[in-house]
Amino acid sequence: MQFDLAIILDNWQSLAAGLARTIGICAISLPVGFLLGVAIALLRMHGGRLLGAFAGAYVELFRNIPFLIQVFLLFFVAPAYGLRLSPLMAAFVAMSAYTSAYAAEIMRGALLSIPAGQTEAGYALGLGYPTILRRVLLPQVLGYILPTSTNLTISLVKESAILSTITVPELTYAAQNIVGRTYSPVEVFTAIALIYWGLTALISALTKRLEIRLQPHLISRRDN
Amino acid sequence: MNDMPETEPAAVEITGLNKWYGDYHALRDIQLSVAPGERIVICGPSGSGKSSLIRCINRLERHDKGSITVEGLELTDDKKRIRTIRREIGMVFQHFNLFPHMTILENCMLAPMSARKLTRPKAEELARRFLGRVHIPEQADKYPGQLSGGQQQRAAIARALCMSPRIMLFDEPTSALDPEIIKEVLDTMIELANDGMTMLCVTHEMGFARQIADRVVFMDHGRIVETAPPGDFFTNPRQDRTRLFLRQLLH
Ligand SMILES: Nc1ncnc2c1ncn2[C@@H]1O[C@H](COP(=O)(O)OP(=O)(O)OP(=O)(O)O)[C@@H](O)[C@H]1O
Ligand SMILES: [Mg+2]
């Protein structure tokens, strides 16, 4: 078997467009999902019995059903109940919801890992919970959240390939199109495997640098 | 309410206080009135409810029965009132509870800026003044993890003082410290007492109690067993339970 680089070179524009779409979908739904996840985590921890149970059920729901099936439910089943979304809209909703469930668990674990004394010290100083959360708790959990969120981000970038099943024109969908036209699965799928790998490696590298920048108290302790 | 109170209201007035953790009756019919400027030392065996009592005063714990009044203002479920009362009360914890991601200066500036709406320069001036008062002005720009335990506890005291509290609560402030460092923290507390601060200290440092306490409160099984000036308390305790406790403390 021989590897024909020309096929990639001839189709690089479709691949680039697919990659751009993959990045675009992730770049929007990951932050949205994370913010939603923070809200779900807070609801679960401080929302009282009813809202807490709701948040818990939300997390379980999205974590216990395969992402592929979630996408199918949203795209093929939801229209029967009057919710009709374009493939791209469905992609954003599905990715955000899925992200939020995992982000909520990361967030909850992180907040629970901080000694209660930190929150108590904040209260004792007359601070309200929003201030304590923003100024005391969140900055401290960044060091914990960042590595786990990097893992989550990477798996979501990979999961986004599933969106090709509902004709979202992202990287995998573009690749399948090229294969359909050129009958060259070896070249095309090898190429997108490398592209996905490059993309996730880039994310790892960027967050590693961010990790170091966001933790001044840990660094200066090492210096002294 | 009387328009013209004949006497200054008590700094802290506790009547019929009861608290449960689930089925466990942690505080039983607590009665305690603390006058402005008074220094109270609370002692007693582990689990007797000392922490629970002082944590009820600034609502880190919610009491179930009875009333707590701080400078004439009764603690209720009203969030605004709780925060008002908390701003009048400083608290120092056994494990310091400094914010590890902020410098000592930032630790001291956070609450004045956020809760008292001080400008940054004003808050910084205040913070430096109190860090000077607890004798660690040179530690201002370090992170808590870079300080010794004694310095951290003094930083925590400075942080509380930056809110200009009228009452200070201490929950075993020296229990987590090495013996040779305890003195520097106690000295800071003694200076504070000599400045007229109203203080409630949970501590087993009996030398400290002798030196600054107006009254020593002895607790056991969620009750106040005995309250007496330190002279009487140490030399002539009325209750057998107190005598037993003091004997154990000496060994
Ligand atoms: N959050 C809680 N939930 C359940 N029980 C608690 C809680 N906090 C305290 N208790 C119990 O209430 C009792 C009194 O606790 P508290 O911490 O007030 O005692 P203490 O006198 O401060 O003891 P120590 O000297 O060990 O600090 C203990 O038996 C303790 O186990
Ligand atoms: Mg205690």
Side-chain angles (χ1 to χ4, degrees), chain A residues 175-209:
Chain A
Q176 284 168 340
N177 262 346
I178 300 167
V179 171
R181 272 190 282 111
T182 62
Y183 305 104
S184 339
V186 174
E187 288 81 0
V188 177
F189 287 131
T190 305
I192 67 162
L194 288 174
I195 295 174
Y196 275 118
W197 179 78
L199 183 58
T200 51
L202 186 69
I203 293 170
S204 294
L206 288 178
T207 46
K208 187 112 316 122
R209 291 185 57 177

Side-chain angles (χ1 to χ4, degrees), chain A residues 121-177:
Chain A
Y123 280 137
L125 286 165
L127 302 174
Y129 189 74
T131 308
I132 295 174
L133 187 67
R134 203 163 45 82
R135 301 296 307 276
V136 177
L137 303 179
L138 288 181
Q140 289 190 62
V141 297
L142 275 180
Y144 172 94
I145 288 178
L146 225 50
T148 28
S149 303
T150 306
N151 292 340
L152 175 58
T153 303
I154 287 171
S155 36
L156 285 160
V157 168
K158 292 184 294 181
E159 294 282 20
S160 72
I162 282 173
L163 300 171
S164 64
T165 57
I166 57 165
T167 71
V168 178
E170 44 68 72
L171 185 56
T172 301
Y173 186 79
Q176 284 168 340
N177 262 346

Side-chain angles (χ1 to χ4, degrees), chain B residues 107-124:
Chain B
N107 263 276
C108 294
M109 290 166 62
L110 175 62
M113 287 174 65
S114 176
R116 290 236 193 266
K117 305 289 173 228
L118 254 58
T119 61
R120 180 168 282 277
K122 279 255 183 305
E124 181 171 343

Side-chain angles (χ1 to χ4, degrees), chain B residues 2-199:
Chain B
N2 202 332
D3 281 346
M4 298 263 285
E6 288 163 23
T7 53
E8 216 177 336
V12 181
E13 182 79 56
I14 299 172
T15 50
L17 176 65
N18 280 270
K19 168 150 191 72
W20 285 264
Y21 294 108
D23 292 336
Y24 184 75
H25 199 170
L27 293 175
R28 300 164 185 257
D29 305 319
I30 300 286
Q31 211 76 19
L32 182 66
S33 179
V34 183
E38 199 176 12
R39 280 99 49 154
I40 306 281
V41 162
I42 302 168
C43 60
S46 180
S48 57
K50 308 176 297 288
S51 298
S52 302
L53 173 58
I54 68 165
R55 288 162 59 88
C56 280
I57 298 173
N58 68 348
R59 241 324 147 105
L60 290 184
E61 300 288 352
R62 187 180 182 282
H63 60 278
D64 298 301
K65 248 177 80 184
S67 81
I68 301 175
T69 305
V70 178
E71 306 219 298
L73 207 56
E74 185 178 347
L75 262 173
T76 61
D77 284 335
D78 180 31
K79 286 226 170 74
K80 251 182 99 178
R81 179 174 296 197
I82 291 173
R83 284 181 68 181
T84 307
I85 289 176
R86 279 177 178 158
R87 283 171 199 171
E88 299 305 319
I89 303 178
M91 186 163 198
V92 175
F93 302 85
Q94 180 175 357
H95 296 289
F96 330 136
N97 298 354
L98 289 167
F99 306 133
H101 58 297
M102 297 181 190
T103 63
I104 299 301
L105 193 67
E106 289 166 346
N107 263 276
C108 294
M109 290 166 62
L110 175 62
M113 287 174 65
S114 176
R116 290 236 193 266
K117 305 289 173 228
L118 254 58
T119 61
R120 180 168 282 277
K122 279 255 183 305
E124 181 171 343
E125 187 197 317
L126 191 73
R128 290 198 187 277
R129 186 160 84 234
F130 282 110
L131 287 173
R133 224 175 111 182
V134 301
H135 312 297
I136 49 168
E138 72 288 351
Q139 309 294 338
D141 297 313
K142 291 195 186 160
Y143 287 95
Q146 300 172 302
L147 270 57
S148 74
Q151 291 170 330
Q152 287 190 53
Q153 192 59 297
R154 286 186 284 157
I157 294 172
R159 176 177 71 175
L161 292 178
C162 283
M163 283 297 281
S164 326
R166 319 239 313 152
I167 300 161
M168 285 284 286
L169 307 176
F170 295 83
D171 193 356
E172 305 207 31
T174 58
S175 301
L177 299 175
D178 294 333
E180 67 271 20
I181 295 180
I182 289 179
K183 188 176 175 304
E184 67 185 50
V185 172
L186 291 180
D187 285 345
T188 305
M189 291 169 63
I190 290 168
E191 286 172 27
L192 200 59
N194 291 337
D195 288 345
M197 178 67 78
T198 308
M199 293 166 68

Side-chain angles (χ1 to χ4, degrees), chain A residues 18-222:
Chain A
L19 175 63
R21 187 53 54 76
T22 291
I23 293 175
I25 291 170
C26 292
I28 293 177
S29 39
L30 290 181
V32 171
F34 268 98
L35 286 181
L36 201 58
V38 175
I40 299 283
L42 291 177
L43 217 53
R44 191 158 181 196
M45 294 171 74
H46 304 287
R49 195 162 298 178
L50 204 67
L51 289 172
F54 164 79
Y58 177 97
V59 169
E60 290 305 311
L61 184 73
F62 286 102
R63 288 208 311 171
N64 295 348
I65 301 174
F67 184 57
L68 178 65
I69 307 303
Q70 291 179 30
V71 171
F72 282 179
L73 286 177
L74 191 63
F75 194 66
F76 298 117
V77 179
Y81 298 93
L83 179 66
R84 204 170 295 278
L85 298 172
S86 71
L88 203 55
M89 244 354 244
F92 283 129
V93 173
M95 288 280 284
S96 304
Y98 188 67
T99 309
S100 68
Y102 281 93
E105 281 306 275
I106 292 178
M107 217 40 230
R108 195 168 72 100
L111 290 175
L112 288 175
S113 76
I114 299 199
Q118 292 287 303
T119 307
E120 288 176 357
Y123 280 137
L125 286 165
L127 302 174
Y129 189 74
T131 308
I132 295 174
L133 187 67
R134 203 163 45 82
R135 301 296 307 276
V136 177
L137 303 179
L138 288 181
Q140 289 190 62
V141 297
L142 275 180
Y144 172 94
I145 288 178
L146 225 50
T148 28
S149 303
T150 306
N151 292 340
L152 175 58
T153 303
I154 287 171
S155 36
L156 285 160
V157 168
K158 292 184 294 181
E159 294 282 20
S160 72
I162 282 173
L163 300 171
S164 64
T165 57
I166 57 165
T167 71
V168 178
E170 44 68 72
L171 185 56
T172 301
Y173 186 79
Q176 284 168 340
N177 262 346
I178 300 167
V179 171
R181 272 190 282 111
T182 62
Y183 305 104
S184 339
V186 174
E187 288 81 0
V188 177
F189 287 131
T190 305
I192 67 162
L194 288 174
I195 295 174
Y196 275 118
W197 179 78
L199 183 58
T200 51
L202 186 69
I203 293 170
S204 294
L206 288 178
T207 46
K208 187 112 316 122
R209 291 185 57 177
L210 198 63
E211 249 168 74
I212 294 168
R213 276 198 33 205
L214 288 174
Q215 299 275 306
H217 66 288
L218 297 183
I219 295 160
S220 56
R221 190 178 318 182
R222 265 177 248 130

